[in-house]
Each structure stands twice: as structure tokens, then as C-alpha cells.
Amino acid sequence: MLLRFSVSNYRSFLEEQAFTMAAARGLKTLREENTFASGTTEKGSPDLLRSAAIYGPNASGKSNFVSALTFVQEMVVESGQTQPDEAVPVAPFRLDPVAAEQDSRFEIDFIE
């Protein structure tokens, strides 16, 4: 299960943006119905959400965030066919000339 996904320097995201399935500690309404224990043995690990949504105004990056998830999925699935010296077709943030030359960053935390 996906716990957290973050992306930076990709399409419209210069700074790191993160999506997490950890329930907020202050969540009171429907906590019992919408969360479950993570099952890890780490002390203080948060409960996890059963579902989540991405919403916001037009042009706020929702589609680019989903595109980042899809990009990572394709990189994992096709990684066996990629040569070590082959360039990765990533779309960095282009409004900053320095960022356009830097690496994009993707992080995924998950549990089985």
C-alpha cells in the first residue's frame, strides 16, 4: 500500500510536493470507519486512510501530480528494458533555467 509519494522538479512542481495516506492526528470525524492500523511495529506509526482524494482549483497541478505517479510506475515496470547509459525521458520544471538542468526527484514509501 502506498504510504507517501513526493515529487520535485517535475513539470509544474519545482519544490517538493507530497501526498500521504497517513491520517491526521486530529482527525475525529469518521475515524473508525475511514482509517486502519498500519500493521507496522514502529512506535507512534500513524493510522492510515482507507481512501483519499486530490482536489483543487483548475491549473493547480492535479494532473501533473497524477502524471508523476504514472511516470514512476512506467519507470519501475520498464526498468528491465532500460540500458544503464540510456537517458531518462523526464520533464523537469522549465520556468527556472537552473532547475531545468537539475535532476527530478521522486520518492515512494509503501508497505506490503
Side-chain angles (χ1 to χ4, degrees):
M1 176 180 176
L2 178 68
L3 298 178
R4 183 176 182 275
F5 175 72
S6 66
V7 59
S8 60
N9 195 25
Y10 179 77
R11 294 194 176 207
S12 61
F13 302 113
L14 176 59
E15 300 297 322
E16 180 180 286
Q17 298 296 314
F19 174 82
T20 181
M21 292 296 289
R25 297 212 186 275
L27 178 67
K28 304 263 189 267
T29 307
L30 301 174
R31 184 174 193 90
E32 220 175 276
E33 294 85 356
N34 292 326
T35 64
F36 63 96
S38 65
T40 64
T41 57
E42 283 187 42
K43 184 179 179 180
S45 61
D47 288 343
L48 301 176
L49 299 171
R50 294 185 187 277
S51 63
I54 298 174
Y55 63 94
N58 291 344
S60 63
K62 299 178 299 292
S63 295
N64 283 340
F65 199 79
V66 172
S67 174
L69 277 168
T70 303
F71 176 80
V72 170
Q73 177 189 12
E74 289 172 357
M75 288 302 299
V76 170
V77 170
E78 298 171 7
S79 64
Q81 302 165 4
T82 305
Q83 301 301 318
D85 58 343
E86 189 176 336
V88 177
V90 68
F93 185 80
R94 292 194 178 139
L95 295 178
D96 181 347
V98 175
E101 298 300 320
Q102 294 178 339
D103 293 336
S104 297
R105 183 178 176 111
F106 305 89
E107 291 183 38
I108 300 174
D109 297 329
F110 60 93
I111 58 173
E112 290 184 50

